[in-house]
Amino acid sequence: MGVFTYTNESTSVIPPPRLFKALVLEADTLIPKIAPQSVKSAEIVEGDGGVGTIKKISFGEGSHYSYVKHRIDGLDEDNFVYSYSLVEGDALSDKVEKISYEIKLVASADGGSIIKSTSNYHTTGDVEIKEEDVKAGKEKATGLFKLIENYLVANPDAYN
């Protein structure tokens, strides 16, 4: 088994507390509302929403995948850090055992956020994951993030 790690850093005009609330704490209701073509539903199938909780994300009609389940590995609301792992679903294959993600929001000098994300692909056997293999997923995640950010800009009273 190998582990291939990819990091990304981006910025947002939204301050960390508000962005974390929308992007992490309330994502299960917000994303299906603003992007139903991407995510049809998100539901807790085990746990109370904290560490160890398993969530099932069902994708919209246009997606290549039908669902994934992810496990919350860490949730630090004070420091705006969230980690989770994809543990089941058709986005995983016989080549990828699981994918672990960590998102950390840091306040930027201009009042917005710096979003630091790390993805760890845990592969089976000698399989290698190349940057171009994850590019499409990163582009979809970036597009979804921009939808959330645009929603927050357009709705300044939401998620305060």
Side-chain angles (χ1 to χ4, degrees):
M1 180 176 90
V3 178
F4 298 88
T5 301
Y6 298 95
T7 59
N8 189 45
E9 194 169 292
S10 56
T11 59
S12 172
V13 297
I14 309 298
R18 187 168 176 233
L19 186 58
F20 193 80
K21 188 172 186 180
L23 184 66
V24 174
L25 302 178
E26 301 292 334
D28 294 352
T29 54
L30 177 61
I31 295 173
K33 181 170 115 177
I34 65 171
Q37 72 284 3
S38 297
V39 175
K40 187 173 15 175
S41 66
E43 61 183 311
I44 291 176
V45 294
E46 181 181 314
D48 61 4
V51 173
T53 294
I54 305 288
K55 293 184 178 186
K56 180 180 180 182
I57 313 303
S58 298
F59 297 109
E61 298 301 319
S63 177
H64 296 296
Y65 306 114
S66 61
Y67 83 99
V68 294
K69 285 186 181 176
H70 75 244
R71 179 188 66 238
I72 298 173
D73 298 323
L75 180 60
D76 183 343
E77 294 181 46
D78 296 327
N79 295 301
F80 312 114
V81 180
Y82 179 60
S83 57
Y84 65 98
S85 297
L86 293 185
V87 294
E88 183 184 312
D90 50 6
L92 296 175
S93 67
D94 57 349
K95 298 175 184 176
V96 179
E97 182 181 310
K98 73 174 181 175
I99 307 169
S100 299
Y101 300 94
E102 181 181 87
I103 300 165
K104 182 175 186 175
L105 306 181
V106 178
S108 59
D110 64 2
S113 299
I114 300 168
I115 302 97
K116 299 178 179 189
S117 61
T118 303
S119 305
N120 293 302
Y121 290 76
H122 300 258
T123 61
T124 56
D126 295 332
V127 172
E128 287 191 33
I129 303 290
K130 295 178 177 55
E131 184 111 28
E132 56 268 18
D133 295 335
V134 298
K135 188 176 180 184
K138 284 169 72 173
E139 287 173 359
K140 285 184 181 183
T142 299
L144 198 53
F145 171 76
K146 286 297 177 191
L147 280 174
I148 293 169
E149 183 180 50
N150 291 339
Y151 177 85
L152 294 174
V153 168
N155 298 276
D157 294 331
Y159 301 101
N160 284 311

